[in-house]
Amino acid sequence: GAGVSQTPSNKVTEKGKYVELRCDPISGHTALYWYRQSLGQGPEFLIYFQGTGAADDSGLPNDRFFAVRPEGSVSTLKIQRTERGDSAVYLCASSLTEHTEAFFGQGTRLTVV
Amino acid sequence: SQQGEEDPQALSIQEGENATMNCSYKTSINNLQWYRQNSGRGLVHLILIRSNEREKHSGRLRVTLDTSKKSSSLLITASRAADTASYFCATADVSGGYNKLIFGAGTRLAVHP
């Protein structure tokens, strides 16, 4: 596809469960970003990958959150022991390099019940 | 935490009118970007202005940047009903990456036919 693809588009999970959110960046984009957007707020930065490595994970709220990008393309955001406060839209973006425009996916709406 | 603030929080206008949204931020920046979001999902990049630029145009959009006041404005001329969306400014500060963006809370624009 031409754009950033995120799956699933919606995820409902029970409190305490583990979830994985997937992001397929635009082909050839080396930089990948995860953001989280709570209702009525702007997106908040979580983590940024350059290639396979996490260049900046300063936005991850705690150690229940982890992200990987093992082959420098697809990335997975993993949340352990989910809490109701984790409910939000999780947005992924990619850019050709870290100095060019970022393109966002449609997001995954996570609801923890 | 949010970098800055947009005002107004909400704006309601008639088709054909101009819409002006303002954004203030706190730190020294590399660039400032404006995004549009429909229905709380994917973000669409509108325009980027670098810290050494003062004004930029793209179609019906005009963005200004005043780094001395740490503020920016987005003007949409001759608005259309299809412009109805939330608009966010986002800054990349000099200490972070180009796309490590800090978003404001957004302005909700409603354009009535």
Side-chain angles (χ1 to χ4, degrees), chain B residues 11-20 76 79 109-113:
Chain B
L11 181 60
S12 182
I13 60 174
Q14 297 296 126
E15 260 190 334
E17 293 180 340
N18 295 341
T20 299
I76 304 174
S79 63
L109 174 66
V111 182
H112 303 283

Side-chain angles (χ1 to χ4, degrees), chain A residues 25-45:
Chain A
I26 294 171
S27 179
H29 280 197
T30 62
L32 184 146
Y33 312 81
W34 284 99
Y35 288 81
R36 176 171 74 171
Q37 186 175 22
S38 300
L39 192 63
Q41 300 295 314
E44 291 186 296
F45 171 81

